[in-house]
Amino acid sequence: MALKMSLRRLRIIVCAMIQSRRARRHLRFMRRTCCSGTMAIIILTMLLLLAAIYTARLPTKEQLHLNYIAESLDVKYYLIQNSKKEYMALTNTGDQPMNLTNVELYFYHMLRKIHLDSKFDGIAMELHHVDGSLFRLRFSKNTTTQVLQSQEKLVVSLKSSISTWARSDVSPNWYITSPGCTPVLLHCTVGEDLNFAKYFWEDSSGISDATRLSMHYSKAVERYNNNKNLKRFEIPPLYVIPTPVEIVADHTKPLNIRTNDWVVVADAGLEEGLPRRMLLPLSQDDPGKKVIRIRQGPVDVIIQGKAIHSKEAYRIDVSAQDERIEVTSPSTAGVFYAMQTIYSTMDEQGNIPQLKVQDAPRFSYRGTHIDVSRNFFQKDVILRTLQAMSKYKMNKLHFHLSDDEGWRLEIPGLPELTEIGARRCHDPTKVACLMPQLGSGPEATGLGSGFYTTSDYQEILDYAAHRHIEIIPEFDMPAHAHAAIQSMLLRYDKYISKDPQKASKYLLNDFNDDSEFSSVQLFTENVMNPCLSSTYVFIEHVIKSVIDLHKGHNSLKTIHLGGDEVPRGAWEKSTVCMQMGKSREELRQMFAEKIINITAKYQVDVILWDAIKKSDKDIVHKDQYNMPDNQISINVWDIGHSGQDIAHVLLKKGYKVILSNANYLYFDHPQIQDPEERGLYWASRSISLEHVFKYRPLCGGYQEKCKLVDQSENILGIQSQLWTETIRSADQFYYMLFPRLLAVAERSWHQAPWETDDTKADLMQEDWEKFASTLGLKELSELDSLGIWYRLPLPGAVFSKDGTLSANCEIPGFDIMYSVDFGQTWKVFHSGMVFHKDSGHIDSNDNREVWLAIRSHTLKRASDFVRLNFHTNEEQKLKLITDENDKPPLKLAEQSKFVPVSK
């Protein structure tokens, strides 16, 4: 618009200049110096055009003022634990007044509704929920100008629908806009440190014991006491993770396979099972010595007294005397796992011990779920994760490619899915993109936007196939479909005037649906309409396209189609649904039957999330569905809100089950109970590495006192889940996934004798100590070599009265580092160090703190660090409030009895 106005002015100016006397003199001069008067006019016009374009690009006065607000408005967002009260303090730190009239502040709030908790005499404002996690604070226009003077502070009191427990409840990259202006990021909210979010405890008197337990946070002294009795090992106590069924090793008789004269001889076709990192040459002839001989054959393994006949089984016999390694397996996958075991026992020089191994997995499904919809992660992150999965014999990647916040796979024939559904930016019309969510900001850049092209996806398929990992794509439906619905609405608008039939072909919503609802994630238009035939045309097009993408790469055996969290109220006022006369639950069953029949048509199995129905009588037996015989499996995530375990019920009803228990296997939850740890916490306040390791699959949801499930043969396996609402970088992604994923690999492959016996707690603890020590002494260095930013635990520590510091770590084998100069320099801690003014370890008599952290062997990783007061043993992690200026406004503090977080 600005450019059009400038061109109009340009025409007027040029005409006026040509008619003026001065212009004619200029033109005569230009004729003498140029080829012609026409050329002179052209040159003059071009110069004026450039000037007009430059002028049009200059920011307006309103835009300049908005930019000033973005730079100078300081935001402090106060999170109050055990309280639904929250406060937003806005301070003008600039030297000029801020006119906030009609300014809109967009910010994000995690999975909860909020509203203004008080009225303000000075600056009028309104709070609106936009959609999902996005909220808008509008400074309204009234009889007086909305001005925030220099250094003036405005405190906005808010009330939330549920209490807050973590800093990561707040997302970064807030932004402001006003009519006619380009949105601008608020500078103080940019980035992942979230320093603008301030965290406080509230007085906890009068609360329940359960709530008090949830409020408790990990302390250095408690960590020290928990760790101090852990058995320490000098060498890794486990040869291999996951633990083989049978393994006997003799390190006194090593065999070196890096002497450049070893070969591999494999039965026909089994060479496909060799890892890509295998550097030994293949040979047709068996030389007798210095050979890895790979044979195809059955391997029978006994697991807990039960014979296992698995295609993934293998046998290894390493003879140092014969200089020969024999590998037997019925499949290329078994050969691949055998080679992973051999590599795991090999040292840096290429020596492996004399070995006898007999092994097979307990479960055929050993998986992890990765959500790339909430936030998008580049192809290399997925490939690196696949590499780590294959090393630990995991074989299923559940690839969550669509949800409300984004559609992440290019689908031929439906370009709108990625043109709008894969982009998030500030566009209230939703023509160019979806609105921002989860800290993605106003521009269509970063992890809020992005998708995998067909070639990207096929590269991922190939990479996984070479590592014997099945890719299971998920397209969530009928709920969690905001991105797909908006994309098909854009397609409708594009074609409706030209070809109404084409416009309606893939439509997912009923224009005559006045239903009112809100999803768990606060979306109000995110459910496909099951009563429209076009919905199933869309679904079949997507399924057929994905099948075609998989052909020749990693054939599509199974697809996940969601099926959970349909909000109450959906479809109630849809005219097409009302004509069917079916209840909401009947419509859900109809939808499930139709989409499963579509998958059966293409001979593809289907997986669904467990339904909202939470009682035995409400879950329909599998045989009562009008569906074909293709396999239908259920991811069981429910933690027993109904007082029973859903896994037990579903197994009785004939379903194949993949255990995905949220309180053990949801890796979007924090790893310790701490407000600084990233993650959600609805299923459990924390899910630690030890907690995952001690998961007992055959007990279903009855983990404390085991109740064995019936029909355990219908348990396909275990799957961890990584949802990414609070994860916005590759490092955060790896931090939340590793090393917990190694514990999932252990439990899904190896069945320990203590899993079904409540009396064997000592054996459980012994296994945990061996596992933790093997991670610290060996396996985490392997993750370093893959470039994976895994989490290191916080140190445990305690001061004695004489100033002697004792410190330890949950995972043995790492250096504990300390600093006494506020993090400027770090040194290795040694047991029994004394800290007082005469000890020589303290640089200043005024310093009362020692800072502690864990460092990896490779020096590439370090834990978060804590500060410990050596007079009081009080601990404080660095990001928590220490500065008086960061406390809430005094009146609010006095009224609410705030106490700064300390440990």
Side-chain angles (χ1 to χ4, degrees):
M1 179 62 72
L3 180 59
K4 186 180 292 185
M5 292 296 295
S6 298
L7 290 174
R8 182 182 299 172
R9 294 192 193 101
L10 175 63
R11 288 196 298 270
I12 296 171
I13 292 170
V14 170
C15 291
M17 288 186 66
I18 292 174
Q19 293 174 11
S20 71
R21 183 176 299 174
R22 176 178 291 182
R24 289 195 293 271
R25 282 203 304 269
H26 281 296
L27 287 173
R28 284 196 294 271
F29 171 77
M30 294 174 75
R31 284 196 190 100
R32 290 196 296 270
T33 55
C34 301
C35 299
S36 69
T38 303
M39 179 61 72
I41 292 173
I42 292 173
I43 293 172
L44 181 60
T45 302
M46 289 177 64
L47 290 172
L48 290 170
L49 180 61
L50 290 172
I53 292 173
Y54 175 76
T55 302
R57 294 178 61 183
L58 288 176
T60 63
K61 179 178 68 174
E62 291 77 14
Q63 185 69 57
L64 288 171
H65 188 67
L66 194 70
N67 295 347
Y68 166 74
I69 295 174
E71 292 173 3
S72 304
L73 186 65
D74 180 69
V75 174
K76 292 286 188 295
Y77 199 92
Y78 298 102
L79 298 161
I80 319 301
Q81 186 162 26
N82 188 40
S83 172
K84 297 180 180 180
K85 293 174 290 188
E86 299 177 9
Y87 300 92
M88 185 192 303
L90 308 174
T91 305
N92 179 0
T93 64
D95 56 6
Q96 300 294 323
M98 290 180 180
N99 185 352
L100 299 178
T101 305
N102 284 336
V103 170
E104 296 178 335
L105 168 59
Y106 286 83
F107 66 102
Y108 320 88
H109 212 285
M110 185 60 62
L111 307 183
R112 53 174 60 87
K113 294 179 180 179
I114 55 173
H115 59 268
L116 292 174
D117 196 31
S118 58
K119 296 182 179 180
F120 303 89
D121 296 330
I123 295 180
M125 62 187 73
E126 301 167 352
L127 182 64
H128 300 272
H129 174 232
V130 180
D131 219 356
S133 67
L134 187 64
F135 289 80
R136 179 181 69 235
L137 186 66
R138 174 183 290 164
F139 298 95
S140 309
K141 184 175 182 180
N142 59 14
T143 54
T144 60
T145 305
Q146 312 291 294
V147 174
L148 191 64
Q149 299 296 334
S150 175
Q151 307 308 314
E152 185 180 359
K153 178 183 291 185
L154 172 65
V155 178
V156 182
S157 177
L158 303 168
K159 192 158 189 178
S160 172
S161 58
I162 57 176
S163 299
T164 185
W165 297 98
R167 188 193 295 269
S168 60
D169 287 348
V170 175
S171 298
N173 303 321
W174 298 15
Y175 65 95
I176 56 173
T177 188
S178 62
C181 293
T182 301
V184 190
L185 283 168
L186 273 178
H187 290 208
C188 67
T189 67
V190 174
E192 288 300 324
D193 57 20
L194 298 179
N195 281 336
F196 69 96
K198 305 301 175 181
Y199 203 92
F200 284 87
W201 296 101
E202 191 177 52
D203 181 15
S204 60
S205 59
I207 65 172
S208 68
D209 290 340
T211 303
R212 184 174 286 105
L213 185 62
S214 296
M215 290 174 61
H216 185 77
Y217 54 87
S218 172
K219 297 181 179 180
V221 173
E222 294 170 351
R223 291 194 297 272
Y224 176 81
N225 290 331
N226 290 338
N227 299 336
K228 68 181 180 181
N229 293 322
L230 291 176
K231 185 176 180 180
R232 307 294 168 169
F233 297 85
E234 296 300 322
I235 60 174
L238 299 178
Y239 294 107
V240 182
I241 291 177
T243 305
V245 175
E246 299 175 22
I247 181 168
V248 178
D250 184 354
H251 279 278
T252 65
K253 299 177 180 179
L255 190 63
N256 193 297
I257 63 173
R258 287 187 181 168
T259 55
N260 297 323
D261 51 0
W262 280 72
V263 297
V264 177
V265 179
D267 286 359
L270 290 186
E271 68 278 1
E272 295 297 322
L274 296 174
R276 288 301 174 98
R277 62 174 172 166
M278 185 79 182
L279 301 178
L280 302 181
L282 282 167
S283 174
Q284 297 295 321
D285 301 318
D286 187 340
K289 290 182 178 291
K290 295 190 175 182
V291 61
I292 300 177
R293 182 68 175 94
I294 300 174
R295 304 179 190 275
Q296 188 165 28
V299 177
D300 294 332
V301 178
I302 305 298
I303 299 179
Q304 300 299 310
K306 183 179 179 181
I308 300 295
H309 308 287
S310 169
K311 292 182 179 180
E312 298 175 302
Y314 65 89
R315 182 189 305 114
I316 302 172
D317 191 341
V318 177
S319 173
Q321 181 178 349
D322 297 336
E323 294 186 289
R324 187 176 181 86
I325 300 173
E326 293 277 349
V327 173
T328 305
S329 178
S331 70
T332 56
V335 171
F336 182 84
Y337 299 140
M339 296 307 299
Q340 295 298 337
T341 295
I342 290 171
Y343 280 125
S344 187
T345 62
M346 187 169 63
D347 64 19
E348 294 179 357
Q349 289 72 43
N351 295 310
I352 59 175
Q354 184 156 295
L355 279 176
K356 285 189 179 297
V357 181
Q358 193 102 337
D359 198 14
R362 67 185 301 186
F363 292 128
S364 62
Y365 192 111
R366 306 177 300 279
T368 191
H369 157 283
I370 291 174
D371 166 21
V372 294
S373 176
R374 270 53 183 272
N375 283 304
F376 180 70
F377 295 89
Q378 297 294 334
K379 178 180 62 180
D380 67 291
V381 176
I382 308 305
L383 299 183
R384 195 167 295 181
T385 302
L386 288 168
Q387 176 71 356
M389 289 174 63
S390 70
K391 177 174 174 55
Y392 298 102
K393 304 183 177 74
M394 299 189 74
N395 66 346
K396 309 289 183 184
L397 177 65
H398 175 171
F399 209 6
H400 190 80
L401 290 165
S402 80
D403 214 298
D404 295 319
E405 294 86 354
W407 183 284
R408 304 304 185 186
L409 179 62
E410 178 184 9
I411 299 295
L414 293 176
E416 299 83 7
L417 285 170
T418 46
E419 288 173 354
I420 179 174
R423 302 176 77 244
R424 297 207 297 256
C425 67
H426 181 76
D427 178 17
T429 66
K430 298 181 183 178
V431 171
C433 55
L434 306 177
M435 284 292 279
Q437 298 288 338
L438 306 170
S440 59
E443 301 295 330
T445 56
L447 293 180
S449 300
F451 65 94
Y452 305 108
T453 64
T454 55
S455 59
D456 288 336
Y457 186 66
Q458 288 173 335
E459 183 179 344
I460 291 171
L461 293 178
D462 290 339
Y463 195 90
H466 293 148
R467 289 155 181 81
H468 299 274
I469 297 173
E470 179 186 356
I471 301 293
I472 302 173
E474 180 187 358
F475 303 95
D476 214 342
M477 57 184 70
H480 292 276
H482 177 73
I485 291 169
Q486 293 301 319
S487 299
M488 292 303 97
L489 279 174
L490 177 67
R491 187 182 188 279
Y492 177 87
D493 292 339
K494 184 193 300 184
Y495 293 114
I496 188 59
S497 62
K498 305 173 186 176
D499 188 342
Q501 185 175 358
K502 185 176 182 179
S504 302
K505 184 176 181 179
Y506 300 110
L507 202 61
L508 299 174
N509 62 315
D510 175 12
F511 290 127
N512 296 314
D513 184 355
D514 296 324
S515 303
E516 295 182 3
F517 60 86
S518 178
S519 72
V520 174
Q521 291 78 20
L522 306 183
F523 283 90
T524 56
E525 190 175 15
N526 78 329
V527 186
M528 296 179 181
N529 193 300
C531 309
L532 294 173
S533 59
S534 55
T535 295
Y536 304 101
V537 174
F538 170 86
I539 293 169
E540 184 163 1
H541 181 95
V542 169
I543 291 173
K544 178 64 168 60
S545 297
V546 174
I547 291 172
D548 291 342
L549 285 175
H550 277 249
K551 283 180 181 176
H553 297 273
N554 188 326
S555 61
L556 185 67
K557 305 180 187 73
T558 307
I559 193 168
H560 202 299
L561 296 177
D564 67 329
E565 294 188 332
V566 175
R568 296 194 180 279
W571 314 318
E572 284 184 354
K573 297 181 180 179
S574 165
T575 54
V576 290
C577 288
M578 287 191 289
Q579 290 168 6
M580 289 187 172
K582 294 179 181 288
S583 69
R584 173 175 167 273
E585 297 307 328
E586 288 172 331
L587 289 174
R588 289 186 64 186
Q589 182 171 337
M590 178 190 76
F591 181 83
E593 290 174 352
K594 286 192 174 186
I595 63 174
I596 291 170
N597 274 279
I598 292 172
T599 61
K601 175 180 175 181
Y602 296 101
Q603 298 181 324
V604 174
D605 292 336
V606 65
I607 304 176
L608 302 170
W609 296 105
D610 63 22
I612 287 179
K613 305 172 191 176
K614 300 302 180 188
S615 68
D616 194 349
K617 64 180 181 180
D618 283 341
I619 294 179
V620 178
H621 195 283
K622 176 179 176 292
D623 294 340
Q624 294 180 14
Y625 276 96
N626 180 26
M627 293 183 292
D629 292 331
N630 64 319
Q631 183 164 301
I632 303 164
S633 307
I634 306 294
N635 279 111
V636 179
W637 59 265
D638 182 70
I639 58 176
H641 287 121
S642 61
Q644 62 179 324
D645 180 54
I646 301 304
H648 283 72
V649 176
L650 286 167
L651 288 166
K652 287 180 182 178
K653 298 285 186 178
Y655 294 92
K656 300 289 185 180
V657 163
I658 301 160
L659 297 170
S660 311
N661 302 58
N663 53 342
Y664 277 82
L665 299 170
Y666 266 45
F667 290 175
D668 57 336
H669 282 47
Q671 304 191 52
I672 61 170
Q673 204 157 308
D674 189 304
E676 289 301 324
E677 284 286 329
R678 183 178 305 280
L680 304 178
Y681 37 79
W682 60 267
S684 178
R685 189 62 188 85
S686 63
I687 299 176
S688 67
L689 174 66
E690 180 179 0
H691 192 66
V692 179
F693 178 84
K694 293 180 177 179
Y695 175 60
R696 304 194 287 175
L698 299 184
C699 304
Y702 299 99
Q703 292 289 314
E704 299 302 321
K705 188 174 182 180
C706 185
K707 177 182 176 182
L708 290 176
V709 297
D710 297 321
Q711 299 176 322
S712 60
E713 67 276 7
N714 283 335
I715 296 178
L716 297 180
I718 303 174
Q719 176 175 287
S720 62
Q721 280 65 230
L722 185 64
W723 303 99
T724 58
E725 285 99 330
T726 66
I727 301 171
R728 288 174 294 274
S729 73
D731 286 348
Q732 293 170 4
F733 179 97
Y734 297 134
Y735 179 93
M736 298 298 282
L737 194 56
F738 296 97
R740 290 188 288 191
L741 192 63
L742 275 63
V744 175
E746 177 72 9
R747 287 282 67 78
S748 59
W749 183 280
H750 174 70
Q751 183 174 344
W754 47 262
E755 288 188 30
T756 57
D757 190 339
D758 294 335
T759 68
K760 293 184 177 179
D762 290 345
L763 185 56
M764 176 196 286
Q765 184 62 22
E766 181 182 333
D767 276 4
W768 159 244
E769 291 169 357
K770 290 179 179 178
F771 179 82
S773 290
T774 303
L775 290 189
L777 295 170
K778 177 186 171 189
E779 296 301 335
L780 293 186
S781 295
E782 293 291 319
L783 295 183
D784 276 330
S785 69
L786 295 178
I788 287 175
W789 193 274
Y790 54 84
R791 180 186 184 271
L792 283 172
L794 291 173
V798 63
F799 278 108
S800 65
K801 291 181 179 180
D802 66 355
T804 301
L805 177 63
S806 299
N808 57 23
C809 180
E810 175 187 34
I811 300 178
F814 291 112
D815 289 330
I816 299 175
M817 309 299 293
Y818 76 94
S819 173
V820 292
D821 56 5
F822 307 104
Q824 297 300 308
T825 58
W826 291 86
K827 301 175 184 178
V828 178
F829 167 80
H830 299 288
S831 180
M833 295 181 73
V834 178
F835 291 82
H836 54 70
K837 64 182 181 180
D838 299 321
S839 66
H841 296 306
I842 299 176
D843 297 335
S844 168
N845 291 337
D846 294 330
N847 185 9
R848 295 170 176 264
E849 291 181 343
V850 175
W851 293 11
L852 295 166
I854 304 297
R855 184 181 68 179
S856 70
H857 302 300
T858 59
L859 310 184
K860 293 181 179 179
R861 304 284 177 264
S863 70
D864 287 342
F865 33 97
V866 298
R867 17 191 325 183
L868 194 65
N869 187 300
F870 55 77
H871 292 299
T872 64
N873 268 325
E874 290 183 355
E875 175 195 356
Q876 194 167 55
K877 263 178 78 174
L878 279 190
K879 288 184 180 178
L880 299 178
I881 298 170
T882 57
D883 189 339
E884 288 292 321
N885 294 327
D886 282 342
K887 291 183 179 179
L890 182 59
K891 287 185 179 180
L892 297 177
E894 289 173 346
Q895 291 169 2
S896 303
K897 301 180 182 178
F898 288 108
V899 180
V901 177
S902 61
K903 299 184 182 180

